[in-house]
Amino acid sequence: MGFESVPSLPLEGLETVDAARRPVPASPGTTTTPGAADRAALRTDSARANGAATASPAPPDLKVVPLPVRRAEPGRDTPAAGRSSIIVLLQQVQEQHGYLPRPEVVRCAGEAGISVAQAYGVASFYNFFKLTPPGQHTIRICQGTACHVQGAQGLLERVQSELGIQPGETTPDGLFSLETVACLGACSMSPAVVIDGEVFGRVTSRQVPRILARYRRRK
Ligand code: FES
């Protein structure tokens, strides 16, 4: 697994409360803020005196109130809230299926209250989400600094050429999936490759066909 920068998401569960719109308590003895009320009245009077069509409202007293996270409701929530909840829904689907089948993406989009295109936009933005079924064997090639200086790029190109796929893709026979990662935690064995959890260290491009053949035999 690698680490990626995640774009800032819209803040969810935050609501602005305009104190100017809150009903003023009517009970006797309730105190108000005379200074603020007087200033607002003065502004209104001043605007009227200047011939303005409408008076400027007093500056709102904004307060941020945290709300509990919940799923978006179609037709009610904002697109931003839907985009946040779609990530959680898609994660659940991928845990169950290993990738995101289209019918499930459509269902999640409906639950999140966003369009299918928006759901696919989120799914394709994050490398974590797989839109195609994973291959029988998953090859992860490290592209971290230690591996890079030891020739990881040439190794990756050799695997790409042997399999005819790019990182993030699966071979047409469904046998291999190819991924790149930032560091496998085996820097002392760089360049490193992991296939189905099995670690190969100090791998050279010449060894690639032999390693792949080993997994082809395990079909
Ligand atoms: S950089 Fe490749 S294993 Fe750490």
Side-chain angles (χ1 to χ4, degrees):
M1 298 286 290
F3 296 93
E4 294 161 0
S5 63
V6 179
S8 58
L9 292 171
L11 294 175
E12 185 182 25
L14 296 179
E15 182 178 86
T16 57
V17 176
D18 187 344
R21 294 185 183 176
R22 280 191 299 226
V24 177
S27 57
T30 302
T31 57
T32 58
T33 312
D38 292 345
R39 283 196 297 276
L42 281 173
R43 273 194 298 275
T44 303
D45 292 340
S46 169
R48 282 199 191 111
N50 289 333
T54 54
S56 303
D61 175 15
L62 296 179
K63 186 180 176 186
V64 177
V65 179
L67 297 174
V69 176
R70 60 168 175 74
R71 285 186 178 182
E73 293 179 25
R76 179 180 157 188
D77 287 295
T78 63
R83 276 195 294 275
S84 296
S85 62
I86 190 74
I87 294 174
V88 177
L89 294 172
L90 294 178
Q91 280 177 327
Q92 292 168 353
V93 170
Q94 182 148 305
E95 277 172 22
Q96 188 181 351
H97 298 274
Y99 77 111
L100 301 177
R102 182 173 172 80
E104 289 292 306
V105 176
V106 172
R107 179 184 63 77
C108 291
E111 279 193 38
I114 62 175
S115 70
V116 175
Q118 286 174 317
Y120 270 107
V122 172
S124 57
F125 183 84
Y126 295 99
N127 283 351
F128 167 78
F129 291 123
K130 311 288 175 215
L131 296 175
T132 55
Q136 195 175 328
H137 304 292
T138 301
I139 303 171
R140 293 187 172 91
I141 301 181
C142 183
Q143 295 292 284
T145 306
C147 290
H148 183 76
V149 298
Q150 294 294 335
Q153 182 60 32
L155 192 58
L156 174 63
E157 286 168 7
R158 180 65 188 264
V159 173
Q160 289 177 171
S161 131
E162 289 286 330
L163 298 179
I165 57 173
Q166 299 295 310
E169 296 179 347
T170 301
T171 52
D173 60 3
L175 196 55
F176 293 105
S177 290
L178 179 59
E179 296 177 2
T180 56
V181 294
C183 180
L184 290 167
C187 306
S188 61
M189 301 165 64
S190 56
V193 175
V194 168
I195 304 180
D196 299 343
E198 196 173 2
V199 182
F200 295 84
R202 301 188 186 93
V203 182
T204 64
S205 296
R206 290 181 55 191
Q207 293 173 324
V208 168
R210 207 152 26 107
I211 293 172
L212 295 179
R214 179 170 161 173
Y215 286 89
R216 285 193 174 106
R217 284 196 295 272
R218 292 185 190 176
K219 234 196 236 189

